[in-house]
Amino acid sequence: MNDRLVTGRPIDDDLGFEVSLRPRRFDEYVGQPQVIANLRVAIEAARGREEALDHVLLFGPPGVGKTSLAHVIAAELGVPIKATAGPIIERAGDLAALLTALEHREILFVDEIHRLDAKVEEILYPALEDYSLDLMIGSGPGARSMKIPLKPFTLVGATTRAGLLTAPLRGRFGIVHRLDFYSERDLHTIVTRSARILGVPIDAEGAAEIAGRSRGTPRVANRLLRRVRDFAQVRAAGAITAVVARDALALLEVDAHGFDEVDRRLLLTIIQKFGGGPVGLNALAAAISEEPDAIEDIYEPYLLQHGFLDRTPRGRTATRRAYEHLGLTAPAAAPPPQKKLF
């Protein structure tokens, strides 16, 4: 699942490239204009008062730039950033080591923060509110509480599943922003910028082909650009045009809407095995041999937003647009019930 070319989640092949393509400042950051405008004001105010920025929560689908934005916030504040992930912080001592090492106004970035252990989360509350750690030293009758002061810092948390955050944790973030899928126009700008950084000749039509199949996700756009670059180098003298991009993406089995084989299989399963739906999540997951969470978090958001799938109280339903895209005939709509005359 995570090795899909069009998945928004990072794969091992992305790591080195993402760092080189990552925007450094707000002026380089493309998209999310409302989020950026609000963050500019908050950061300017914090810098003017020489205070730590309020704690920031960024949530949204995978690959839309939460990690990049955290690094941009640190750069705009002019402070270092330490990055970790929720599942890595297993014990209170791990969290204490991270927090006590932070300098004044420094940023701690925690990815997938909804996966923090409950006991670690309890220790984090006073750190966020009062910049102090309350730890129990020892055990049994000799146990004692120790209060460790911390330097003012900013926690930037990122999550793809904001609904799994506990209310007490979410309530301690002063700045909360959702990052949404990108428009094709913004993705066109991102592809053009990334091609320039990578030294790849690309025309406007070639960038548009890649942007249109990137599922609204910058990470996917950059990944497709790199694959098309390889194709262009081997078969088209290195330059990316619309024809080169179409041929490369056809070879990669990424269609005009950014669907890969898994997306098409999901829609075809609903249509052919379940009569177009409605079908329950667990039944659909079993039919395509995927986890229900994967369908809900990775596949569905894009399909729902672009009108290929409906989520009803009775289950998932393929839309008329899904039938048309797959070259199938949609069933005729049922006539409305006739009113009886008495």
Side-chain angles (χ1 to χ4, degrees):
M1 176 188 67
N2 286 337
D3 292 336
R4 296 172 63 213
L5 190 61
V6 293
T7 181
R9 298 186 180 277
I11 58 179
D12 291 342
D13 194 33
D14 293 330
L15 300 179
F17 283 94
E18 284 194 351
V19 173
S20 64
L21 300 178
R22 185 172 287 161
R24 301 290 189 267
R25 307 302 289 255
F26 280 143
D27 291 340
E28 300 175 11
Y29 195 94
V30 179
Q32 316 293 345
Q34 195 66 33
V35 174
I36 298 302
N38 281 287
L39 284 173
R40 281 183 185 272
V41 172
I43 288 172
E44 188 64 31
R47 289 176 60 185
R49 295 191 300 266
E50 296 186 353
E51 294 178 353
L53 181 69
D54 284 349
H55 304 300
V56 181
L57 176 64
L58 304 173
F59 66 98
V64 294
K66 297 183 290 295
T67 301
S68 294
L69 188 52
H71 283 82
V72 169
I73 291 171
E76 292 288 341
L77 285 168
V79 299
I81 179 172
K82 286 187 172 68
T84 186
I88 295 175
I89 309 172
E90 297 179 344
R91 299 179 297 275
D94 299 336
L95 179 64
L98 284 169
L99 295 178
T100 53
L102 293 175
E103 296 298 325
H104 184 66
R105 298 173 58 211
E106 195 169 349
I107 286 179
L108 174 64
F109 173 63
V110 180
D111 199 11
E112 297 300 321
I113 194 169
H114 67 272
R115 295 178 62 187
L116 277 176
D117 182 85
K119 293 181 180 178
V120 173
E121 190 175 309
E122 291 288 341
I123 300 295
L124 185 59
Y125 295 156
L128 297 179
E129 285 187 335
D130 308 323
Y131 300 118
S132 66
L133 278 175
D134 292 328
L135 298 176
M136 292 298 296
I137 307 299
S139 59
R144 58 192 178 87
S145 175
M146 175 179 288
K147 199 175 192 70
I148 303 173
L150 302 172
K151 296 174 183 176
F153 71 97
T154 298
L155 174 68
V156 178
T159 178
T160 55
R161 306 189 68 182
L164 294 185
L165 283 177
T166 62
L169 180 57
R170 181 166 181 148
R172 284 166 170 81
F173 287 98
I175 301 172
V176 179
H177 289 301
R178 173 181 171 81
L179 275 61
D180 214 334
F181 289 115
Y182 282 60
S183 67
E184 285 191 23
R185 180 178 178 180
D186 287 339
L187 287 170
H188 187 285
T189 303
I190 290 170
V191 170
T192 303
R193 174 184 177 272
S194 297
R196 184 173 65 251
I197 294 171
L198 295 173
V200 183
I202 189 169
D203 62 19
E205 291 75 17
E209 281 292 330
I210 296 173
R213 305 182 193 217
S214 298
R215 303 169 67 94
T217 307
R219 178 176 286 145
V220 175
N222 287 328
R223 192 182 297 140
L224 293 180
L225 171 64
R226 287 163 41 219
R227 299 294 187 271
V228 175
R229 176 190 63 170
D230 294 342
F231 181 92
Q233 179 181 333
V234 173
R235 300 191 182 179
I240 299 176
T241 63
V243 173
V244 171
R246 277 197 294 270
D247 290 346
L249 293 168
L251 188 65
L252 294 167
E253 297 185 315
V254 178
D255 65 25
H257 287 288
F259 289 3
D260 66 354
E261 186 272 336
V262 178
D263 296 303
R264 292 188 288 271
R265 181 158 56 93
L266 185 147
L267 291 175
L268 282 170
T269 298
I270 295 175
I271 292 169
Q272 295 175 345
K273 289 189 177 180
F274 298 100
V279 53
L281 177 61
N282 290 330
L284 179 59
I288 66 171
S289 301
E290 283 289 0
E291 293 295 325
D293 286 349
I295 294 175
E296 208 165 23
D297 297 340
I298 300 174
Y299 306 145
E300 279 191 346
Y302 180 76
L303 298 175
L304 287 167
Q305 189 176 46
H306 289 77
F308 292 95
L309 196 66
D310 276 341
R311 185 189 292 172
T312 70
R314 296 175 58 200
R316 276 67 179 167
T317 305
T319 65
R320 182 171 296 274
R321 190 177 186 195
Y323 281 88
E324 292 171 354
H325 178 66
L326 296 170
L328 302 173
T329 302
Q338 297 291 327
K339 291 184 178 180
K340 295 183 179 180
L341 298 177
F342 296 97

